[in-house]
Amino acid sequence: MKNTNPVANTKIYLATSFFNEEQRARIPQALAQLEANPTVGVVHQPFDFQYKDARVDSDPAGVFGSLEWQIATYNNDLNAVGTSDVCVALYDMDQIDEGICMEIGMFVALHKPIVLLPFTKKDKSAYEANLMLARGVTTWLEPNDFSPLKDFNFNHPMAQPFPPFKVF
């Protein structure tokens, strides 16, 4: 018989934008829910693994934004996607980020599940999701609600492929 008990062995790739304070503030909220989840073993948050510790606000080696940093960052993220089991994407509907779209696309190409938590400031009826994103995501959560991340079964991720938005 298949084991249905929770096992903390799933590696999550936490994809998120990092361009403003509101986006950065979402990370600890998501991490708190994922860390309390009994099916999560590891959460890879790319901003915790920056090449030569280069960040927008701190660049000890003076490489942030350089071609060297770009290539290393891309390869580090690509490797982390390859070794992760599931993508949890914190997707900002108000400020589309091509980087997170690329990460989602890599998970689609590798046939790995994507759990997308959208963030909106307007009523969800005011948004439309692009069909490529809408059909690529395995599980859509309700906008702005971190709580499902705590109880989601990442050992056996079930699809909920219908976005809470119109699709075009």
Side-chain angles (χ1 to χ4, degrees):
M1 177 178 211
K2 186 178 194 178
N3 181 4
T4 57
N5 296 323
V7 179
N9 67 353
T10 304
K11 182 178 179 184
I12 303 294
Y13 183 96
L14 184 60
T16 184
S17 300
F18 202 73
F19 299 116
N20 59 49
E21 194 55 44
E22 187 175 12
Q23 292 170 342
R24 288 187 289 275
R26 293 175 184 146
I27 297 167
Q29 294 178 72
L31 288 172
Q33 298 299 316
L34 292 169
E35 288 171 5
N37 186 309
T39 64
V40 174
V42 174
V43 178
H44 175 86
Q45 211 299 315
F47 297 104
D48 288 341
F49 300 94
Q50 290 294 297
Y51 178 69
K52 294 188 177 179
D53 294 323
R55 300 175 182 276
V56 171
D57 58 348
S58 174
D59 188 9
V63 297
F64 185 82
S66 69
L67 180 60
E68 173 187 359
W69 175 85
Q70 292 171 23
I71 292 169
T73 298
Y74 174 80
N75 284 314
N76 290 340
D77 289 355
L78 184 66
N79 290 336
V81 167
T83 62
S84 294
D85 301 305
V86 178
C87 175
V88 171
L90 308 180
Y91 192 77
D92 193 331
M93 297 291 291
D94 297 316
Q95 187 177 352
I96 302 304
D97 172 5
E98 294 89 352
I100 197 170
C101 292
M102 178 70 179
E103 291 166 330
I104 290 169
M106 287 189 277
F107 274 89
V108 169
L110 293 170
H111 306 282
K112 294 182 178 190
I114 302 148
V115 176
L116 192 138
L117 173 53
F119 290 89
T120 63
K121 292 182 181 169
K122 300 180 233 170
D123 185 83
K124 62 184 178 183
S125 65
Y127 290 93
E128 291 184 342
N130 181 286
L131 76 92
M132 299 304 282
L133 179 68
R135 299 294 66 95
V137 169
T138 310
T139 302
W140 284 86
L141 302 178
E142 283 298 311
N144 309 317
D145 184 5
F146 291 96
S147 63
L149 297 177
K150 181 179 179 184
D151 298 315
F152 190 86
N153 186 343
F154 289 104
N155 293 152
H156 305 283
M158 298 299 292
Q160 195 304 91
F162 301 103
F165 310 106
K166 290 180 261 177
V167 176
F168 71 95

